[in-house]
Amino acid sequence: MAMRHKEKHKIDNIGWLRAAVLGANDGIVSTSSLILGVAASHATHSSILVTGVSALVAGAMSMATGEYVSVQSQADTEAAALETERVELQRNPKSEHHELTGIYVGRGLDVPLAKEVATQLMIHDALGAHARDELGITDAMSAKPLQAALASALSFGIGAALPLLVVVVVPQDRLIPVIVAASLVFLAILGGLAAKAGGANIKKGVLRVTFWSALSMAVAAGVGAMFGAAT
């Protein structure tokens, strides 16, 4: 018996990868920006550290909640669409067969072959065929709320912990330049790893992440310095 060949594609990673990259990136950028803003306002070292820890906890919880609600909404929408399709298959299977045939004709099959493919797939798994080819719902792309929430919270916490570690070990008089440099290095590594895991261009991934992150930190530091000078 011939062994089936199963290919592993980068797209299989998209569910957890999106949540993990978003969480880690936001953890580094938001925590670093907040630390820079507070440090630029001439706050004490202990105040900066408390601010960073608070940002880590609040941000991780916020990321988990937001990601769960967002992805759960997507999951609910998918479930409703599948239920509608299930009802239609029971009520009017001929119309659904015709619909599936039209999809395959649109993809380049001739009509007789498209009809035969639709027939065979509907015999095997009618709902699965319509979910995949009509609705675009697959196992790899389907919404997984809990997985996304946990990935976001964990990755945010890891990302936020990196600039916090800098606050702990670096003297306050050198904190701002070291935070900026370390955060950009962390973000460049993250951007490169994310691009590699997703099969994208690594250089573009690194440049995209570092540019927008540097802009965010510069704005935060500027606001902190402005309000610090005003007090």
Side-chain angles (χ1 to χ4, degrees):
M1 180 178 177
M3 294 181 62
R4 294 180 61 185
H5 173 61
K6 183 176 177 60
E7 293 182 345
K8 179 69 175 178
H9 295 284
K10 299 292 186 180
I11 194 69
D12 295 336
N13 299 328
I14 195 169
W16 65 265
L17 180 62
R18 181 187 68 85
V21 168
L22 177 62
N25 185 83
D26 196 30
I28 297 173
V29 174
S30 61
T31 305
S32 296
S33 297
L34 190 57
I35 289 172
L36 285 171
V38 175
S41 69
H42 307 296
T44 64
H45 191 272
S46 60
S47 295
I48 296 171
L49 185 59
V50 170
T51 298
V53 172
S54 299
L56 186 156
V57 175
M61 295 302 296
S62 177
M63 286 291 293
T65 301
E67 193 72 20
Y68 183 86
V69 170
S70 174
V71 179
Q72 184 61 57
S73 297
Q74 179 186 340
D76 292 343
T77 301
E78 291 176 356
L82 287 172
E83 182 58 29
T84 299
E85 200 63 37
R86 185 180 290 107
V87 171
E88 291 299 318
L89 284 167
Q90 293 173 349
R91 290 179 177 175
N92 199 345
K94 289 185 178 180
S95 176
E96 293 300 303
H97 181 275
H98 179 73
E99 189 174 26
L100 203 58
T101 299
I103 291 172
Y104 298 141
V105 170
R107 292 179 181 176
L109 299 183
D110 56 43
V111 175
L113 180 56
K115 287 182 177 180
E116 179 61 23
V117 171
T119 298
Q120 293 299 322
L121 289 177
M122 289 185 68
I123 290 173
H124 175 69
D125 181 7
L127 183 60
H130 281 270
R132 180 181 60 253
D133 295 322
E134 181 183 349
L135 303 177
I137 300 174
T138 65
D139 289 339
M141 301 293 289
S142 62
K144 298 178 177 64
L146 187 59
Q147 180 190 66
L150 291 175
S152 292
L154 179 62
S155 57
F156 183 98
I158 293 172
L162 296 175
L164 269 180
L165 181 62
V166 175
V167 174
V168 172
V169 300
V170 174
Q172 187 170 356
D173 60 340
R174 300 205 306 270
L175 186 59
I176 290 178
V178 175
I179 279 283
V180 171
S183 296
L184 290 179
V185 170
F186 294 150
L187 288 162
I189 293 172
L190 175 65
L193 290 175
K196 183 177 180 180
N201 184 283
I202 295 177
K203 184 178 180 180
K204 288 183 179 179
V206 170
L207 291 175
R208 180 168 55 242
V209 169
T210 52
F211 172 78
W212 291 108
S213 301
L215 180 62
S216 174
M217 289 187 287
V219 171
V223 170
M226 180 176 64
F227 280 96
T231 58

